[in-house]
Amino acid sequence: MLTPLHKQLLNNYQQEFPLSPRPYLEIANHLGVTEAEVLSAFTELAEHNYISRIGPVIPPNHIGLSTLVAMAIPAPQLSTAAAIVSSFPEVNHNYEREHRFNLWFVLIASDQQHLQSVIAKIETQTGFKTMQLPLLADYFINLGFQLDLDDTAPVTINQAEAVSA
């Protein structure tokens, strides 16, 4: 079951995460709990897949280079190819789409040479060509959500896991 602290962390720190040497202490001081309690609560949320990571969102191409990449993978090989693509630390947003180009991901690299090197490795290891779709226009979609975490309808960890299965 989500505790009041879990709910506060999920709703209040999707954005405006403190940028300080001790962000968890800053959150703890704001919420009136200890830093250890904040760290423990975030760990529990991660262990139960309520959060996947805590990290910055940096606009594309402000640090290094990024490109959207699409691949057309036959269905029987899609999982294997996706696992190979996901094994590269430069890859995020790896997802399946219902289209001939059915595997999409964002690739981030320090420079053009590194980016092309990773693309070449992905093509070699998967055995399939990529289609690079570099950013032409920048759009921002705010992905912060006010979660409806009403205490009258508690969400248990098991219920959340059943929904995602």
Side-chain angles (χ1 to χ4, degrees):
M1 175 181 272
L2 291 174
T3 67
L5 179 57
H6 289 136
K7 295 173 184 179
Q8 286 181 301
L9 294 173
L10 288 171
N11 268 329
N12 299 350
Y13 296 98
Q14 295 175 38
Q15 300 174 355
E16 306 297 327
F17 198 85
L19 295 177
S20 73
R22 306 265 315 260
Y24 303 105
L25 177 60
E26 195 170 317
I27 291 170
N29 289 338
H30 184 255
L31 297 177
V33 296
T34 67
E35 183 181 30
E37 289 172 308
V38 169
L39 288 167
S40 176
F42 273 128
T43 299
E44 291 164 2
L45 290 169
E47 287 173 352
H48 295 288
N49 298 317
Y50 282 95
I51 59 174
S52 59
R53 71 179 188 96
I54 296 173
V57 176
I58 300 169
N61 300 326
H62 281 67
I63 298 176
L65 283 176
S66 65
T67 189
L68 181 63
V69 182
M71 299 177 76
I73 309 290
Q77 291 137 327
L78 184 58
S79 292
T80 301
I84 291 169
V85 168
S86 293
S87 72
F88 286 86
E90 296 88 348
V91 170
N92 66 30
H93 293 89
N94 183 8
Y95 56 97
E96 180 182 1
R97 294 187 73 175
E98 294 179 6
H99 187 270
R100 184 171 76 81
F101 288 93
N102 55 352
L103 183 63
W104 293 67
F105 56 93
V106 173
L107 181 63
I108 301 168
S110 57
D111 55 37
Q112 187 65 30
Q113 183 179 3
H114 185 188
L115 189 117
Q116 293 308 317
S117 169
V118 174
I119 290 286
K121 289 176 185 173
I122 288 172
E123 289 180 343
T124 298
Q125 291 183 24
T126 62
F128 296 98
K129 291 287 185 193
T130 62
M131 178 173 63
Q132 296 179 50
L133 305 160
L135 178 69
L136 298 178
D138 191 3
Y139 300 95
F140 178 75
I141 300 171
N142 184 346
L143 294 177
F145 300 99
Q146 182 66 33
L147 302 173
D148 182 14
L149 300 172
D150 184 355
D151 282 336
T152 60
V155 175
T156 66
I157 298 299
N158 288 337
Q159 287 173 328
E161 290 171 348
V163 169
S164 66

